[in-house]
Amino acid sequence: MAHINDFVTLDREGVVAILTADNPPVNALSHGLRVGLLDGLTQAVADPALKAIVLICAGRTFVAGADISEFGKAPRAPGLHDIVAAIEASAKPVIAAIHGTALGGGLELALACHYRIAVRSARFGLPEVKLGLLPGGGGTQRLPRLVGIAKAMAMITTGDMIGADEAKEIGLIDEIVAGDLRAGAVAFAEKAAARAKPPLVRDRDEKILAARANPGVFDEFRKTHGRRWRGQMAPNHIMKCLEAAVNLPFDQGIAEERRLFQELLASDQSKAQRYFFFAEREAAKIPGLTPDTKPVEIKTVAVIGAGTMGGGITMNFANAGIPVTLIEQDQKNLDRGLGVIRRNYENTAARGGLAADDIEKRMALIEPSLKIEDVAGADLIIEAVYENMGLKKEIFQKLDKLARKGAILATNTSALNIDEIAAVASRPESVIGLHFFSPANVMRLLEIVRAAKTADWVVATSMAVARKISKVAVLVGVCDGFVGNRIMRARGMQSERLLIEGALPQQIDKVLVDFGFPMGPYAVTDMGGGIELGWRRRQEIGAKNFIGDSLAERGRFGQKAGKGFYHYEPGSRAPLPDPEVEEIIKEASRREGVDRRAIPDQEIFERLIYPMINEAAKILEERKALRASDIDVIWVYGYGWPLWRGGPMFYADLVGLKKIRDRMLELEKQHGSLFKPAPLIERLVAEDKGIAAYKAAA
Ligand code: T1G
């Protein structure tokens, strides 16, 4: 075995060269790996004793793409395209032997090879669009030549992976290897060496010609999927590359791909999405846990409360194959909860997202119960009852007596003080918040709320179980609304002022939808029943809100009532402005003695977004979030902040913290202390620093 460099070795088995890449953890195409691959290829091609070359990877996966951490830095030769050129110039067949996930530049490397073989568990994708990029190593030009334009458009504009069986079926790979990949690759290479080399992928035009005969295919695809790409550059650039693949000679197509790739690489959108890629992974890291802290395995779960949240939470565990006992206080509620769960599964199956027999398998993992004593065997118990402190304390007192030693006692409260809840238990160290977002079986965000006495092992276990149920977990501290809802409340307070001063729900929603949110706050409130929830909570505490109360008293509970902040035609969920709502809002202005005025969109935008940034800074000062980037993860995954804008913290740096601080000082003069810049913002501005890189915890 020859060490080409620290990342590549060259082995020989008979006439077959085996180039092995080894760059943990995912064989990203770092500069060192690129150098090793090019040198190894050059040596193997030059050696007359070798007749074929296998390109294989050590570790858990084939090359998973370019090294994302290198983007934004000066490119260092050799580039991916140099390796691609060397492969295609080789007189000897080069075979890519794939396991794990061949992604991005990794799949592009394989596309340049003469053959691609893989184990059945391998997966393939060009996920660059998720980074605001496009495949810049020839993927937009080679993939359609192998799999056809329709599949190439679907794969590259979504970034979704496909499995080996599908890859074989559509012509992306040549063979699925049973047994040992390396041995299978050597055997395949020996046969390849004995026959004429196949045409290079770049020279295979039969599928391109088919697409050329149907030029409308691109606009049809844009018409079908374009809504999803609203505001984003990358998907539209990808479509232009794919059109170039069909309409231009190969090398001109490559030039077009490279030009458009460079545009995206330099774009704020891609910078935001590359930042977010690491931010999301950083959120899973909890500094300060004692080194020997190990998560305990969660084998069984109990959920208290079969309402909307309890049912959704239950589904997460059934989906992960974890038995879950769903406990309610009366049969009617329990049956209704189970019925909702079953209907959810049936709807998913009807959309092809679940095999029919999986419905029964998952339902069989859910054990309904009317006895809270049935929590006794559970490793993790999640209370998801009505948002009332007295009720939650009562439940936790019972859990404290009934739960087995070593069980985790979690509350799904969305805002109540978890220290107060933990105080009623004899084991406060076992108490933690697991704040799911509705619908809990769909929303990927999970705020894990660490109370003052929560033990490290409970935190570590909660983070681990979140991963197991495919949630994106972010650790936050106890404060009113934790992190996401606390920031949303700051925005909501300003939004209410804007209504009183002259704006209408449809104007406010449009400003945020134009920014990139999928829906505006008022349409979201109508969808989630927020008017009724807020009204009932105010009644409990004797609070008043003229607009909210007026809407509720008219039965305007949102989409389900056919009216809320908007009007909804029967069977439609399209929000329509409603004169009755405008009257209520104008009456609110009159009652406050405010002369309504036309408010410019830009002012609306700044008065909605800047208080969010300010509140986030306060949260960081109070150490209720570990790092600013965690707040971005919360807002992208929990509230629909557009991924290609990175999150409120990233966006603050894009606008410029000093510019925001100065604008807030102006707004503070007109609209009060909500705009008083947080001390952290003042400090960072004074130090000429941004906020997205700020870490609150040591
Ligand atoms: N570059 C750098 N680091 C990477 C990386 C990459 N491509 N992929 C993963 N990592 C790090 C990650 O930050 C984490 O680090 C560790 O590896 C494990 O990752 C020219 C331009 C492969 C499916 O977009 O989708 O090629 O936190 O926690 O859950 O056209 O990683 O341990 O320090 O995600 O098992 C295209 C991105 C790049 C693939 C594995 N490729 N990666 O998932 O582990 S652009 C991608 C993934 C490109 C070309 C274009 C996943 C994974 P740390 P992980 P995982």
Side-chain angles (χ1 to χ4, degrees), residues 24-26 28-29 60-61 64-71 80 101 103-106 108 123 126-128 130-131 133-139 161 261 277-278 281-282 285:
V26 297
L29 271 172
R60 62 181 179 164
T61 177
D67 184 334
I68 303 171
S69 63
E70 288 186 0
F71 291 138
L80 171 57
T101 50
L103 299 174
E108 291 174 301
R123 290 181 296 159
L126 292 174
E128 289 85 343
K130 295 178 181 174
L131 298 168
L133 294 171
L134 57 82
M161 293 190 221
F261 176 81
F277 174 86
F278 293 109
R281 285 155 180 80
E282 187 77 9
K285 295 170 186 158

Side-chain angles (χ1 to χ4, degrees), residues 345-357:
Y345 282 138
E346 285 166 353
N347 292 342
T348 305
R351 289 197 303 270
L354 194 64
D357 58 6

Side-chain angles (χ1 to χ4, degrees), residues 664-686:
M664 283 206 292
L665 290 172
E666 289 169 11
L667 291 167
E668 182 189 10
K669 289 193 196 97
Q670 303 158 38
H671 304 289
S673 64
L674 192 65
F675 290 99
K676 179 174 176 42
L680 175 62
I681 289 182
E682 292 291 8
R683 178 153 61 80
L684 292 172
V685 167

Side-chain angles (χ1 to χ4, degrees), residues 158-270:
T158 60
D160 290 346
M161 293 190 221
I162 62 171
D165 288 326
E166 182 179 1
K168 176 76 171 62
E169 190 193 320
I170 63 175
L172 179 54
I173 63 175
D174 302 286
E175 189 172 285
I176 291 180
V177 174
D180 180 70
L181 177 60
R182 179 183 164 122
V186 170
F188 187 99
E190 282 164 349
K191 282 188 257 157
R195 60 175 178 255
K197 278 195 301 155
L200 292 172
V201 172
R202 58 171 288 154
D203 298 328
R204 289 164 57 167
D205 278 348
E206 63 274 14
K207 294 191 177 176
I208 292 299
L209 295 174
R212 208 169 283 163
N214 176 17
V217 67
F218 297 105
D219 285 343
E220 281 156 38
F221 192 86
R222 285 188 179 99
K223 218 180 293 155
T224 311
H225 300 279
R227 260 178 58 82
R228 209 160 23 92
W229 310 339
R230 190 168 57 85
Q232 300 165 56
M233 292 171 67
N236 290 296
H237 275 40
I238 287 166
M239 291 299 286
K240 286 181 192 155
C241 288
L242 290 166
E243 283 177 309
V246 169
N247 302 324
L248 299 178
F250 184 84
D251 288 329
Q252 289 178 39
I254 287 285
E256 181 66 350
E257 175 189 271
R258 202 161 293 164
R259 180 182 74 81
L260 293 171
F261 176 81
Q262 290 302 329
E263 271 187 25
L264 293 177
L265 190 63
S267 72
D268 288 339
Q269 291 190 7
S270 181

Side-chain angles (χ1 to χ4, degrees), residues 457-643:
W457 70 270
V458 174
V459 171
T461 303
S462 300
M463 294 297 288
V465 84
R467 264 195 304 282
K468 188 150 173 55
I469 60 172
S470 306
K471 294 297 180 188
V472 175
V474 182
L475 188 67
V476 299
V478 174
C479 58
D480 187 7
F482 309 137
V483 172
N485 284 348
R486 177 171 161 182
I487 291 171
M488 186 169 70
R489 190 175 304 133
R491 184 182 76 182
M493 285 163 63
Q494 222 13 253
S495 187
E496 175 107 13
R497 293 312 310 156
L498 287 161
L499 288 181
I500 299 287
E501 292 176 29
L504 288 173
Q506 52 271 30
Q507 183 187 9
I508 290 172
D509 278 2
K510 185 176 182 304
V511 164
L512 290 179
V513 168
D514 288 350
F515 179 68
F517 282 88
M519 290 169 80
Y522 292 105
V524 169
T525 301
D526 277 357
M527 185 175 69
I531 291 172
E532 184 176 9
L533 276 174
W535 181 51
R536 296 205 186 289
R537 209 162 288 161
R538 286 193 297 275
Q539 283 183 316
E540 277 187 8
I541 58 175
K544 291 283 176 208
N545 175 297
F546 178 77
I547 295 175
D549 295 344
S550 302
L551 292 170
E553 284 148 16
R554 289 166 175 74
R556 299 188 72 101
F557 289 146
Q559 270 186 25
K560 67 184 178 186
K563 55 183 184 176
F565 277 102
Y566 293 96
H567 169 75
Y568 299 87
E569 291 300 320
S572 163
R573 290 195 286 194
L576 303 173
D578 187 324
E580 183 179 66
V581 174
E582 186 168 340
E583 251 327 290
I584 291 169
I585 291 169
K586 286 178 174 174
E587 172 58 20
S589 305
R590 280 192 288 274
R591 284 167 172 252
E592 294 209 18
V594 173
D595 294 333
R596 293 178 66 80
R597 66 183 171 94
I599 306 177
D601 286 354
Q602 181 58 24
E603 180 185 337
I604 288 178
F605 178 78
E606 290 167 348
R607 290 178 59 182
L608 293 174
I609 298 296
Y610 293 1
M612 292 172 63
I613 293 165
N614 210 33
E615 196 64 28
K618 293 173 187 170
I619 286 167
L620 290 165
E621 283 163 340
E622 296 166 27
R623 300 161 69 89
K624 299 300 181 186
L626 291 173
R627 43 184 95 82
S629 59
D630 283 3
I631 293 173
D632 286 343
V633 174
I634 285 172
W635 264 80
V636 167
Y637 273 107
Y639 299 84
W641 183 284
L643 172 63

Side-chain angles (χ1 to χ4, degrees), residues 302-308 310-312 314 324-343 363 366-372 374:
V303 174
I304 318 276
T308 307
T314 298
V324 45
T325 302
L326 179 57
I327 298 170
E328 247 297 341
Q329 57 188 356
D330 72 60
Q331 193 64 50
K332 185 168 70 64
N333 286 347
L334 185 57
D335 293 344
R336 191 182 43 72
L338 283 171
V340 169
I341 291 173
R342 175 173 290 279
R343 259 198 318 285
M363 292 307 292
I366 301 170
E367 179 65 39
S369 163
L370 293 172
K371 294 190 304 182
I372 194 165
D374 286 344

